[in-house]
Amino acid sequence: MSTPSPASPSSAPPAGRRTLIADTAIALVAAAGLRGLTHRAVDAAAGLPAGSTSYYFRTRTALIGACYQRLAELDLADVDDGTPSGAAPAVLPGAAPDREAAAAALAGLLYRWLTVGRARQLARFELSLEAARNPELEADFQRAGQGARSRAAGIVAALGSERPQEAAELLVAWTEGLLYDRLAGALARSRPAPDLAELTAVARRMLAAALTDPG
């Protein structure tokens, strides 16, 4: 039996190999920034034959685009799968949540992303800046961001918002700002550890403000 060529890896299904590569690339960016993201580094970190990453993603731009898609998938999976132990489950599409349940769900997601999901969120911020510099990445980046905004619009609509798109944009922006402030802001290293009760109070205020009719 012949040994598969590194240029056409076949030891795993293409979908599984692509996911492994994207996950590894995200981890590398979280650890070393974009300077650490090379095809060779991904091959080595993922334990893949040399040339595997470039086989699936020919260019660095294509590799970063795959990271955007994977980050969006993982974040939406967090929404659908629930929140850390002790927190309320996530608000699912089609549900009829009340504000307290929605606040608890949002707080749980924030807690997850500030703790066990910290590295992924740092990578997401780092990769988002690349889209601002590279027009070739703009479409992939925007496409990846639509899922979160669509999900947020469904939630605020279920909560009674008469302008769900506007409310969702505000809610996503505030969520992003909070995450960035706590993970990478000037006081990020000196802040106390994330607290679920505090995040629930913050989430209540965010939802209340997003759902207020601007008149």
Side-chain angles (χ1 to χ4, degrees), residues 55-146:
Y55 174 80
Y56 288 104
F57 305 104
R58 296 289 184 186
T59 66
R60 194 166 187 266
T61 295
L63 181 58
I64 292 174
C67 290
Y68 292 153
Q69 179 180 344
R70 181 60 176 157
L71 285 165
E73 289 173 356
L74 291 169
D75 282 351
L76 288 178
D78 282 347
V79 175
D80 291 341
D81 290 346
T83 52
S85 177
V91 179
L92 300 176
D98 58 33
R99 290 194 185 188
E100 190 59 28
L106 177 56
L109 289 171
L110 289 168
Y111 184 86
R112 173 181 288 185
W113 292 337
L114 290 170
T115 54
V116 295
R118 178 180 183 276
R120 189 211 309 166
Q121 297 304 316
L122 285 172
R124 187 169 63 82
F125 286 129
E126 185 102 27
L127 287 160
S128 68
L129 292 175
E130 190 67 11
R133 303 185 187 103
N134 185 348
E136 293 182 40
L137 286 167
E138 185 176 355
D140 286 339
F141 184 60
Q142 289 184 354
R143 191 178 306 113
Q146 287 307 310

Side-chain angles (χ1 to χ4, degrees), residues 32-65:
L34 281 167
R35 68 181 180 276
L37 183 62
T38 66
H39 287 75
R40 182 177 297 180
V42 174
D43 287 342
L48 295 172
S52 297
T53 299
S54 61
Y55 174 80
Y56 288 104
F57 305 104
R58 296 289 184 186
T59 66
R60 194 166 187 266
T61 295
L63 181 58
I64 292 174

